[in-house]
Structure formats: C-alpha cells, structure tokens
Amino acid sequence: MATTTGARCIGILTSGGDCPGLNAAIRGVAKPALSDFHIEVIGIEKGFRGLVENHSRVLHPHDVSGILSLGGTILGTSREKPHKMPLPNGQSVDLTPRAIETYSRLGLDCLICLGGNGTHKVAYNLAKQGLNVIGLPKTIDNDLAETDITFGHNSAINTAAEAIDRLYSTAEAHLRVMVIELMGHKAGWLALSAGLAGGADIILIPEIPYDIDSICQHLTERRRRGKWFSIIAVAEGARPRRPGAQATTPPAADGEKKKKKKQKKDKAEKPGGKDGESDVAALDTEGDGRSSSAVAKAISRRLGMETRVTVLGHLQRGGVPTPFDRILATRFGTYAAEMLARGEYNRMVAMKGAEVTSVPLEDVAGKIKLVPPDHPLIGSARRVGTNFGD
Ligand code: F6P
C-alpha cells in the first residue's frame, strides 16, 4: 500500500553513544517503509554531522537485511549537534541552517532520529525549525523521559550482570571486596538492575547518595555472618552524601548543576573541605575522581579488607543485542514506519506499560528520567538484604 497522506522520502540517522539494537531498529523502520509503504529511505551517516555535511546514501532492502543481531550501527554515529559543531580551534559554530538545507536538498518528508537525551533535544530543536522528526529511544542508560524503557538497556544489563557473576567466584576465592563500576551517566538504572540480577551486596546509584560509614557497617555485618567477600556495584554517577544532608537526596535538577559544579570545584581545591569534613566528603575528588576507586580505598583503609576495582566501561555498549532488545527495537522501528505512513510527526516512539505508543518531542527534550528512591526494584533489593549505602 503506497502512502497517500504520509511520507514519501525519509532520512534516518543514529546519534550519540551507540548501543546494541540500533541496527534492529533501522531494519524495523526501513523494511516496512520500503516494502509496505513504498517510502524511499536515505541513511544519514555519522549522526547529525552527516546531516550538516550531507553524508548520505540511499538504503535498499539488501542494506537492511541480515543486520538484526548486529551490534553498533551500520550508519555510524557521533555526539555532534548541529547547533554546536566543533571547530579545530576548540570553539563551536551553529550549523543548524546547513542541517536544514540538507533535509530540503534530499527532499525529505521526515527525519528519523535514533538516540538518547542529547539526540532528542536536537530533534526537538529541528522540529521547532519546521522539520518533520520522529525519535526512537535508545540508550543503555534508560534515562529518557516519557518511556518506560529504551532499547540497548537490556543488553547492557546482561553484559554487566554476567561480569558481576564472573567477579563473584574470584571474590569468594580471595575473600576480597570487588567493586564494579557500571555506566548509566547520571542515572542508576543500569547499576540497579545489573546489581540486582548479579546479587550485588551493595549497590550505589546517583539517586541515593552514599555514606561510607553505612557501607563499612554493612561489610562488617557480613563478616560477622561469615561472609568475608562482597560485591559492590557502583553507578558511574554515584556520589557520597554530604555531611548533614538527608539520607536520600535526589540529584540536583539540571538548572542547579552549574552552581553545584562550581561549589564542588571550590571544595575539591581544599582537601578535607573548608569546614574540616572527613574523607566521606572528599571521596568523589580523591584519586582518579571515580566513586568506585574512592569507595574501594576507603574500605581497605578503614576495614583492612583487600579490594579490587573493575571499570566495565564500553564493554557495556558492545556486542549483539539480547532477544529482548531485538524485539523492542523492532517494535519501535515498525511503529515509527506506521507513523510515517500516517504522517504523524514530531513525536518520540515510547513504551508505556506493555504498549508501544508515541509522545510529543517537547515532553522529552531536556528532561532526564532518574530512579525514584521508592522504585519497586529498590524495594525488592532491600528485601533481599542489598545495601544502598544510605
Ligand atoms: O549514554 C551512554 C553512555 O555509555 C553513558 O553511560 C556514558 O556515561 C557515556 O555514554 C560514555 O560516553 P562515551 O562513549 O562518549 O565515552
């Protein structure tokens, strides 16, 4: 069925950090677009840089065949944004008009953007400039607003949980405290789920600032029960609780970030803090600036326990997508193709409960979805004895 009201020619790009499931989503959009709705599909390469510089190629059915389980993205990606394109002298320039020009020159009726928070901010900006845009939520961090889940997250949980399983046996053999740092940017979804799946004894996430005393107390308790080894899953964004702060303080809202950063910098320049704070307050600026290293050091110093740190890093973004992510990305992609046929634009495909639906881009742009401290996953973890350092 050829589309009469909807798009006849679309561009598709992947932007931001890659994740497993991007190719499954490209396939999910392109296959029905090409064969069911007779829409021409143009692949834009290297994210928004490709839109600014017009790096594109027509995608044919054979280009999107055999890519369902492939990691990475056949289109390439970048973190560059049209309104802030970097220059060799370190400055940046607004090249949004060039992005709009490419859109017109290619004769696009819609641009499909596969990405996370940064991508959806750009997508909304372009929509405000008059382009038709559809967003697809991807990120291992699962921190996009207005969708219960993003594709890529489940694959990263799998990789991280498997890593924790592997650490478990060596932790037990050496009676060590193994600290594993997981990605997640400013949200704790990945560390929470992977930690829960891997049976981590302590999980530290940005949404629940930790107290090193509480962590040490929990480890001491475990030793008393004959458990001389432990696993601590630390989200890369986890931070210690400031003295006098409440036990569970949500991370600063976006608007307050700059002010807090400056306060943090000032404090970092004064070891121990100007008001004579303990190493608890200095933790996040100690050593390499990672909470994982700081927590490990504090544990060995205070309890005399042997610790080791693993930073799992980009391993969490690589490899094949899980079947869950292949299915999710395919559902999101095919839903987007149906939106194209209906001519429904300037929305992000989203999962609400068990339903795939779409939400206005303006409800997503500039927002972040954090773990609510009363989230059921936290409740379940606490019930099985997991400590959150609070
Ligand atoms: O957003 C995905 C993510 O992997 C985050 O978890 C992490 O903070 C960041 O990207 C790392 O970015 P890069 O690949 O640019 O180092």
Side-chain angles (χ1 to χ4, degrees), residues 9 39 48 57 72 175 287:
C9 177
I39 300 171
F48 289 109
R57 61 189 154 103
L175 303 181

Side-chain angles (χ1 to χ4, degrees), residues 17-18 79 138-141 183-185 190 236 314 317:
D18 72 326
R79 289 200 181 276
K138 72 88 218 188
T139 164
I140 64 164
D141 306 334
M183 281 186 166
H185 203 218
L190 181 52
E236 62 181 346
H314 291 79
R317 295 234 302 261

Side-chain angles (χ1 to χ4, degrees), residues 12 14 18-32 64 67-73 112-115 134-139 147 149-155 319-339 349-351 356-357:
I12 183 164
T14 53
D18 72 326
C19 74
L22 280 168
N23 289 321
I26 293 170
R27 172 181 176 270
V29 175
K31 279 201 167 199
V64 294
I67 62 169
L68 174 62
S69 61
L70 204 64
T73 157
I112 307 264
C113 302
L114 281 60
I134 294 177
L136 258 69
K138 72 88 218 188
T139 164
T147 182
I149 187 130
T150 57
F151 65 84
H153 182 57
N154 182 263
S155 304
V320 301
T322 55
F324 180 94
D325 272 336
R326 294 177 206 185
I327 294 168
L328 185 64
T330 302
R331 289 185 71 190
F332 283 171
T334 53
Y335 191 90
E338 287 161 13
M339 286 170 70
V349 178
M351 182 66 98
V356 178
T357 178

Side-chain angles (χ1 to χ4, degrees), residues 255-264:
E256 275 184 72
K257 269 190 299 193
K258 278 199 186 118
K259 208 165 81 191
K260 296 236 169 195
K261 211 169 160 187
K262 173 148 188 342
Q263 284 169 354
K264 195 168 148 186

Side-chain angles (χ1 to χ4, degrees), residues 14-358:
T14 53
S15 169
D18 72 326
C19 74
L22 280 168
N23 289 321
I26 293 170
R27 172 181 176 270
V29 175
K31 279 201 167 199
L34 291 168
S35 56
D36 294 346
F37 305 125
H38 307 289
I39 300 171
E40 187 179 6
V41 181
I42 299 179
I44 315 280
E45 291 161 355
K46 302 183 206 85
F48 289 109
R49 172 165 284 279
L51 191 66
V52 166
E53 295 176 353
N54 192 8
H55 293 303
S56 59
R57 61 189 154 103
V58 173
L59 295 182
H60 301 284
H62 65 262
D63 293 314
V64 294
S65 179
I67 62 169
L68 174 62
S69 61
L70 204 64
T73 157
I74 59 163
L75 296 174
T77 186
S78 71
R79 289 200 181 276
E80 284 153 3
K81 302 169 173 71
H83 64 275
K84 226 178 175 178
M85 294 299 289
L87 292 170
N89 65 5
Q91 297 194 315
S92 63
V93 59
D94 183 357
L95 294 181
T96 307
R98 295 240 317 250
I100 296 172
E101 203 181 301
T102 305
Y103 181 95
S104 312
R105 192 179 311 147
L106 293 174
L108 304 183
D109 296 315
C110 180
L111 179 68
I112 307 264
C113 302
L114 281 60
N117 280 317
T119 303
H120 282 85
K121 224 170 162 176
V122 174
Y124 181 51
N125 279 344
L126 293 176
K128 282 195 290 187
Q129 306 271 340
L131 270 56
N132 292 326
V133 186
I134 294 177
L136 258 69
K138 72 88 218 188
T139 164
I140 64 164
D141 306 334
N142 193 35
D143 60 349
L144 257 175
E146 295 299 320
T147 182
D148 292 349
I149 187 130
T150 57
F151 65 84
H153 182 57
N154 182 263
S155 304
I157 293 173
N158 245 42
T159 304
E162 192 194 323
I164 295 175
D165 288 348
R166 287 173 190 273
L167 284 178
Y168 193 94
S169 52
T170 173
E172 191 171 25
H174 283 269
L175 303 181
R176 283 172 172 161
V177 176
M178 303 301 269
V179 180
I180 179 164
E181 181 183 306
L182 302 172
M183 281 186 166
H185 203 218
K186 293 184 177 128
W189 296 104
L190 181 52
L192 174 60
S193 292
L196 189 54
D201 306 294
I202 298 173
I203 301 175
L204 306 180
I205 60 174
E207 294 84 347
I208 306 179
Y210 60 84
D211 175 0
I212 194 67
D213 294 333
S214 160
I215 294 171
C216 289
Q217 200 180 325
H218 188 73
L219 295 174
T220 307
E221 258 316 298
R222 277 178 58 78
R223 277 203 300 210
R224 208 169 290 141
R225 284 185 279 116
K227 304 271 192 185
W228 286 78
F229 69 96
S230 291
I231 305 277
I232 308 183
V234 182
E236 62 181 346
R239 289 293 173 263
R241 191 199 308 165
R242 297 289 167 198
Q246 284 187 335
T248 299
T249 317
D254 265 13
E256 275 184 72
K257 269 190 299 193
K258 278 199 186 118
K259 208 165 81 191
K260 296 236 169 195
K261 211 169 160 187
K262 173 148 188 342
Q263 284 169 354
K264 195 168 148 186
K265 191 170 165 280
D266 294 346
K267 204 168 251 181
E269 282 158 7
K270 297 184 179 123
K274 67 169 179 221
D275 37 6
E277 288 162 4
S278 68
D279 60 343
V280 178
L283 271 178
D284 59 344
T285 53
E286 193 174 307
D288 57 9
R290 294 177 179 279
S291 276
S292 52
S293 317
V295 165
K297 274 188 203 155
I299 291 168
S300 48
R301 194 169 53 227
R302 290 176 177 218
L303 302 181
M305 295 179 87
E306 213 181 343
T307 59
R308 291 289 186 272
V309 178
T310 302
V311 179
L312 201 55
H314 291 79
L315 288 173
Q316 294 158 100
R317 295 234 302 261
V320 301
T322 55
F324 180 94
D325 272 336
R326 294 177 206 185
I327 294 168
L328 185 64
T330 302
R331 289 185 71 190
F332 283 171
T334 53
Y335 191 90
E338 287 161 13
M339 286 170 70
L340 287 170
R342 290 194 294 268
E344 209 177 304
Y345 306 127
N346 301 339
R347 302 178 71 80
M348 181 186 82
V349 178
M351 182 66 98
K352 300 266 189 195
E355 296 295 316
V356 178
T357 178
S358 73

